[in-house]
Each structure stands twice: as C-alpha cells, then as structure tokens.
C-alpha cells in the first residue's frame, strides 16, 4: 500500500448504535472523491473518524503512510487534513477576518497567516468585500464560502467537505461546486459528502455509495453519471 488516504474496515459506534460497519476506501492524491448515500448511511461519521472528531471502534486510517487511527484532531490538522463540517459552524459574532484567522490556528507565523488570508480573500472575492462584517449577517451561500475558506486557511493537503451545498439555492450551489473544483485544481485533494449526488458526480473522480454503514458500491464518477438511474435507485433521488 502507501496511498494518500486509506481506510481499512473502519467501524464507528455511538453507544449501541453502529454508524459505520467496516468501511474500506481509498483516496488518491489530487482527486475529488465523493461519499454518497441516504441520511444516516454513516457518511458524516466516516469523515469525523478521519479528522479525529470521533474515535473509531475498530479499523485503520492511514494518511500519507502514517497511522492516524484515533489520533488527536489537532495532530491530524497539522498533518494536513482539514474538515469543513456540516452546517457550516462559523462563528456568527466574529467578523469574516476573525473567522479566517481561527482557521489558521495551527500556524504560528503572522506572515504566513497574512499570506494565507490574502490567498483566501482572492479566491473568495465576495468575502473580501465583507471582511469586517459579522459572519452571522452573511447570506447562507456566503457563510458556506466562509466555512470553506476557513478550512483551507491551514493549507491542507486533504480538504474534507461535509454537505457543502446543504440548504443553498441552485445558483449558489453551482458556485460552491465551481470553487471546490478550483481548490482541487490548485492541488488540494478533496473528500466530499453530499446529498446532491448528480452535481457531485460531475466534479468528482471517484465515488463510494454508502448504505447503513457499509459501502454498497464504488465506481469512477463518470460511470455513475452515465447510469443515473442506478444512482437514483441507490440514493432515492437525484
Ligand atoms: P446525515 O446525512 O444525516 O448526516 P450520514 O450518512 O452522514 O447522515 P451519520 O451522521 O454518520 O450518517 O449517522 C449514522 C448513524 O449514526 C445514524 O443512525 C445516526 O443517527 C447515528 N449517529 C450519528 N451521530 C450520532 C451521535 N453523536 N450519537 C448517536 N448516534 C449518532
């Protein structure tokens, strides 16, 4: 082996509830990989285990050759994995700039933080126009942009996105997916969980379909797109 991100027979439990039941998957460097599946399939729990937000009950997670199973979340961020959580979770009473700086908590150098902030504001011009504004007063789409911008502040090698299009209007969703593609083209590997399967498959290279805590199908994204009936059958919608 020796891949970028490798998950081997991962299990996550919350008390008696088995959220993830032996999932194995790989993410190759440079790719966009999608985890699809209905609510409760175990997608978020898989992401949370990778980022160290929940301890796996069993299984192995390796990143860049290092065993990170059960490692502390902060250590995992320092290794280059950044997690943009479901529901945005920005700080509404802090400004856009302050939210971005919090994303750079692993970075000690003021100069680096300044450079990275500039980089994010260039990437998200809507945020640059509102950098002194309280994050809670931004539109839903802008808040999602801010959540993504904050997640790329540590210059991650792997960006984990949990339902970035949730609750956003179609035009905004298109912008979000365009940004995801751009971030990937600039060299960041992306692991994305989405309900919006068809849009996601259009930007993804490879996809895993989860159901009840297990992988029920995996395929190049293109192949799944050509067979949207199958996707609909598995996901119950488009
Ligand atoms: P969603 O899109 O709803 O987030 P998901 O595919 O991401 O779905 P998970 O959030 O990983 O699925 O949840 C998998 C299962 O674990 C579900 O049955 C869920 O109710 C349960 N679960 C998730 N988090 C917890 C928790 N903190 N405590 C108890 N059960 C949980």
């Amino acid at each position: 082996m020796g891949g970028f991100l490798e998950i081997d027979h991962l299990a996550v439990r919350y008390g008696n509830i088995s959220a993830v039941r032996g999932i194995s998957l790989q993410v190759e460097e440079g790719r966009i990989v999608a985890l699809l599946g209905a609510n409760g399939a175990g997608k978020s729990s898989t992401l949370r285990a990778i980022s160290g937000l929940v301890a796996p009950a069993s299984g192995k997670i390796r990143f860049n050759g290092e065993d990170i199973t059960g490692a502390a979340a902060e250590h995992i961020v320092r290794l280059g994995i950044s997690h943009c959580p479901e529901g945005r979770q920005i700080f509404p009473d802090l400004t856009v700039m302050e939210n971005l700086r919090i994303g750079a908590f692993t970075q000690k150098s003021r100069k680096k933080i300044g450079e990275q902030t500039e980089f994010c504001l260039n990437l998200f011009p809507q945020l640059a126009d509102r950098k002194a504004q309280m994050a809670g007063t931004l539109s839903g789409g802008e808040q999602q942009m801010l959540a993504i911008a904050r997640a790329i502040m540590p210059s991650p090698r792997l960006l984990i996105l949990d339902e970035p299009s949730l609750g956003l209007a179609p035009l905004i969703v298109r912008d979000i997916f365009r940004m995801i593609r751009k971030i990937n083209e600039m060299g960041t590997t992306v692991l994305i969980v989405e309900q919006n399967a068809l849009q996601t498959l259009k930007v993804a290279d490879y996809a895993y379909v989860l159901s009840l805590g297990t992988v029920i199908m995996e395929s190049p994204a293109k192949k799944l797109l050509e067979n949207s009936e199958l996707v609909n059958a598995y996901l119950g919608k488009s």
Side-chain angles (χ1 to χ4, degrees):
M1 301 252 270
F4 189 61
L5 177 73
E6 293 169 343
I7 299 181
D8 190 21
H9 292 96
L10 174 71
V12 176
R13 282 198 273 279
Y14 304 102
N16 290 329
I17 300 167
S18 266
V20 177
R21 306 161 182 254
I23 282 180
S24 297
L25 59 88
Q26 271 94 45
V27 177
E28 283 181 40
E29 188 161 23
R31 300 284 165 86
I32 299 182
V33 174
L35 301 187
L36 307 173
N39 279 336
K43 306 178 301 294
S44 297
S45 299
T46 301
L47 299 185
R48 291 170 61 78
I50 298 167
S51 313
L53 300 173
V54 62
S58 60
K60 280 261 171 290
I61 305 173
R62 294 175 70 78
F63 178 63
N64 216 18
E66 181 171 337
D67 184 352
I68 58 164
T69 321
E74 189 177 335
H75 177 67
I76 292 172
V77 174
R78 287 184 196 282
L79 290 178
I81 298 181
S82 189
H83 189 144
C84 184
E86 186 175 350
R88 295 158 209 158
Q89 300 183 23
I90 50 151
F91 298 98
D93 300 327
L94 298 182
T95 66
V96 166
M97 281 294 262
E98 288 164 343
N99 269 277
L100 289 179
R101 286 202 191 105
I102 286 171
F105 75 97
T106 54
Q107 183 57 258
K108 289 280 174 287
S109 148
R110 267 169 184 270
K111 185 161 168 272
K112 269 273 166 60
I113 294 174
E115 284 169 6
Q116 211 35 37
T117 309
E118 272 308 296
F119 174 80
C120 282
L121 292 177
N122 278 332
L123 202 57
F124 296 96
Q126 305 97 309
L127 297 179
D129 294 341
R130 301 174 187 281
K131 56 188 177 189
Q133 199 169 314
M134 292 298 166
T137 66
L138 300 175
S139 71
E142 288 161 351
Q143 291 189 19
Q144 184 59 63
M145 298 279 185
L146 178 58
I148 296 174
R150 185 182 59 186
I152 59 172
M153 278 295 286
S155 309
R157 298 181 64 189
L158 173 66
L159 174 64
I160 290 180
L161 295 168
D162 197 348
E163 305 234 14
S165 82
L166 194 69
L168 300 177
L171 273 178
I172 315 283
V173 171
R174 218 182 51 190
D175 283 348
I176 297 278
F177 278 102
R178 203 178 287 146
M179 287 317 300
I180 294 168
R181 196 195 288 258
K182 197 164 173 188
I183 290 167
N184 174 251
E185 281 168 1
M186 291 185 311
T188 308
T189 307
V190 175
L191 177 61
I192 178 171
V193 157
E194 260 296 339
Q195 293 285 327
N196 197 332
L198 291 185
Q199 290 254 26
T200 307
L201 289 170
K202 283 183 194 158
V203 301
D205 297 293
Y206 201 82
Y208 291 86
V209 180
L210 273 56
S211 175
L212 300 174
T214 62
V215 173
I216 53 169
M217 185 166 76
E218 59 170 286
S219 158
K222 226 188 218 155
K223 231 169 146 188
L224 278 181
L225 259 185
E226 285 163 6
N227 200 344
S228 57
E229 271 171 36
L230 192 66
V231 177
N232 289 338
Y234 277 126
L235 304 178
K237 60 174 185 160
S238 59

